[in-house]
Amino acid sequence: DFSGSTADRNGENVGILPGAFDERVAYTTHNAGATWTTVELTFGCRAVCSFGSTLFIVGMTDVSMETVSQVSHVAGLWTKPTKVPVEAQSCVAISANTMYVAGYNGDIAMTGNAGNSWKVLYSTFRNQEKFSTIINTRVPGRLYVFGADEPEGTGSVIPQVVATSTSGTNWYNLSWPFNNEEYAMAGAALCPGQLTWCTLGAVMDNSVPGSANTHPPLYSHIVCGVY
């Protein structure tokens, strides 16, 4: 699960993990994982992230189906849920007040004031892309967002990676190493100590025909890139 965040970059022993998908709980630690505290939520948890001692939770309400976020700057104290303008599936915090989220419908949004207001930075306007993971690199202003594109009428699911070197002002697409192959991406992460990101997924071997009850074999693939 690439949506969780444990040790932070500022030397604190603070971390947060999500409950099961859409479960109304998250789990926090303030002693490097020696003990964990359950955070009861009023919405289903979709993603969590942290920066220093600041913790972020993103999820969706059951009734109105709105995406909301909560922030904790002090252990055990949380802000009231505030509305997020995109259906977020992943988040990354780059400061105690700045968080990026990405999710369904090919949307990416950012808050610079701990969730009080949001700005949509990227949208495909086609409702075909579904972003599952957003990562912040060690290069200031450079982020990568990973997911899938489903071109209308093709029945295919194609990997999609967009990136920014300007903190979200401008975005560009990354080329993918597979030609005419579907790659089911499960998630992505930075490689510790290296200027490299990697994704884990599966590629379907269409050279082996399937049948009514089976599909062509799937092979695990790890794809890495240098940023």
Side-chain angles (χ1 to χ4, degrees), residues 195-198 223-227:
L195 297 180
T196 308
W197 54 261
C198 289
V223 179
C224 297
V226 178
Y227 62 84

Side-chain angles (χ1 to χ4, degrees), residues 44-121:
C45 182
R46 289 284 177 96
V48 297
C49 48
S50 66
F51 186 92
S53 59
T54 300
L55 307 176
F56 298 85
I57 299 176
V58 180
M60 179 170 287
T61 60
D62 295 336
V63 179
S64 61
M65 301 300 289
E66 291 180 336
T67 301
V68 295
S69 68
Q70 280 188 277
V71 181
S72 172
H73 296 289
V74 179
L77 299 178
W78 291 86
T79 62
K80 293 182 179 180
T82 57
K83 186 177 179 180
V84 180
V86 304
E87 189 177 341
Q89 301 296 306
S90 178
C91 69
V92 64
I94 66 170
S95 77
N97 291 304
T98 304
M99 175 175 62
Y100 293 81
V101 297
Y104 287 122
N105 302 326
D107 292 329
I108 303 169
M110 182 198 78
T111 177
N113 52 20
N116 290 318
S117 62
W118 291 83
K119 180 180 180 181
V120 176
L121 303 175

Side-chain angles (χ1 to χ4, degrees), residues 3-212:
S3 62
S5 175
T6 52
D8 63 82
R9 65 188 66 190
N10 287 348
E12 302 284 348
N13 294 318
V14 179
I16 186 168
L17 290 171
F21 188 76
D22 277 344
E23 189 179 9
R24 291 186 173 191
V25 296
Y27 305 95
T28 62
T29 180
H30 290 79
N31 54 16
T35 59
W36 291 84
T37 300
T38 300
V39 180
E40 301 289 344
L41 305 173
T42 60
F43 54 87
C45 182
R46 289 284 177 96
V48 297
C49 48
S50 66
F51 186 92
S53 59
T54 300
L55 307 176
F56 298 85
I57 299 176
V58 180
M60 179 170 287
T61 60
D62 295 336
V63 179
S64 61
M65 301 300 289
E66 291 180 336
T67 301
V68 295
S69 68
Q70 280 188 277
V71 181
S72 172
H73 296 289
V74 179
L77 299 178
W78 291 86
T79 62
K80 293 182 179 180
T82 57
K83 186 177 179 180
V84 180
V86 304
E87 189 177 341
Q89 301 296 306
S90 178
C91 69
V92 64
I94 66 170
S95 77
N97 291 304
T98 304
M99 175 175 62
Y100 293 81
V101 297
Y104 287 122
N105 302 326
D107 292 329
I108 303 169
M110 182 198 78
T111 177
N113 52 20
N116 290 318
S117 62
W118 291 83
K119 180 180 180 181
V120 176
L121 303 175
Y122 178 93
S123 183
T124 64
F125 303 104
R126 295 187 297 110
N127 295 335
Q128 299 296 324
E129 292 174 318
K130 296 177 177 63
F131 293 128
S132 59
T133 307
I134 180 170
I135 59 175
N136 181 37
T137 69
R138 298 176 183 86
V139 178
R142 186 170 297 176
L143 296 94
Y144 289 85
V145 185
F146 301 84
D149 188 13
E150 300 179 17
E152 188 175 355
T154 65
S156 298
V157 179
I158 301 172
Q160 177 78 350
V161 185
V162 298
T164 178
S165 298
T166 57
S167 299
T169 303
N170 303 105
W171 296 86
Y172 56 92
N173 289 299
L174 270 66
S175 60
W176 201 250
F178 297 124
N179 294 319
N180 300 319
E181 287 186 288
E182 295 184 355
Y183 179 80
M185 190 184 302
L190 290 180
C191 298
Q194 304 291 329
L195 297 180
T196 308
W197 54 261
C198 289
T199 69
L200 174 65
V203 172
M204 184 177 294
D205 184 0
N206 290 312
S207 65
V208 180
S211 67

